Amino acid sequence: MRRACVNGLVRRAGSSPTSAGRHSNNKIGKQLQVFVRENNVDQALRILKKKMQREGIFREMKRRKAYEKPSERKTREKAEAIRRARKAARKQAQREGLIPAPKRPDDTRTRLGGRGRFGSGEGGQRKPG
């Protein structure tokens, strides 16, 4: 079983994070690790992309593509904080029953006629009549 690792900075084995570079102001974050099973690199790549998406690495790379002025940064961070606060308030109101919970998309079983995953059940074979 091989192991693939992704990290913003490459660090030599046995070296401390502070000795990564003399003028380095980058922080070494959580190291993502994906195991390649049975030489299935495509599956490992999909898993890695999913983990990177969850960690917000793609968003961070997009944000760092161009210079962001301090005033733009403050505006963005303020907007993000407002969005988080609104989301938290909405969730709290849903838990307390003040507003209804969002509607869920139709369940796949209802679209399959109640057959479920393996095709058995009420919507299975029809009786002649």
Side-chain angles (χ1 to χ4, degrees):
M1 187 183 320
R2 288 186 289 166
R3 196 171 80 186
C5 297
V6 171
N7 199 351
L9 296 173
V10 178
R11 191 170 62 164
R12 278 182 248 132
S15 68
S16 67
T18 55
S19 66
R22 204 171 110 193
H23 299 290
S24 175
N25 61 354
N26 294 334
K27 296 176 185 174
I28 295 181
K30 181 180 170 186
Q31 190 174 27
L32 295 178
Q33 200 173 47
V34 175
F35 294 102
V36 179
R37 295 191 183 112
E38 299 172 10
N39 287 329
N40 194 348
V41 179
D42 292 333
Q43 181 191 15
L45 192 59
R46 279 195 307 271
I47 293 169
L48 177 65
K49 284 181 180 179
K50 216 179 274 185
K51 284 185 176 186
M52 289 173 73
Q53 180 72 34
R54 268 190 237 121
E55 290 291 322
I57 293 174
F58 293 125
R59 193 181 317 125
E60 183 77 14
M61 285 182 353
K62 185 179 177 184
R63 197 173 58 76
R64 289 180 180 231
K65 194 180 249 186
Y67 177 73
E68 185 177 28
K69 295 192 320 189
S71 61
E72 292 172 348
R73 181 170 157 240
K74 287 176 191 172
T75 306
R76 177 183 51 82
E77 287 176 350
K78 199 176 285 187
E80 287 174 358
I82 291 169
R83 206 174 301 124
R84 278 194 307 270
R86 281 184 185 155
K87 184 176 181 180
R90 186 173 58 244
K91 294 267 187 187
Q92 184 67 31
Q94 286 173 357
R95 278 194 293 270
E96 293 173 358
L98 299 175
I99 58 174
K103 294 182 179 178
R104 290 183 164 190
D106 288 340
D107 196 23
T108 55
R109 284 177 276 165
T110 58
R111 280 187 277 140
L112 293 173
R115 288 191 299 247
R117 185 174 178 183
F118 299 107
S120 61
E122 296 173 7
Q125 295 184 357
R126 295 183 181 170
K127 295 178 185 176

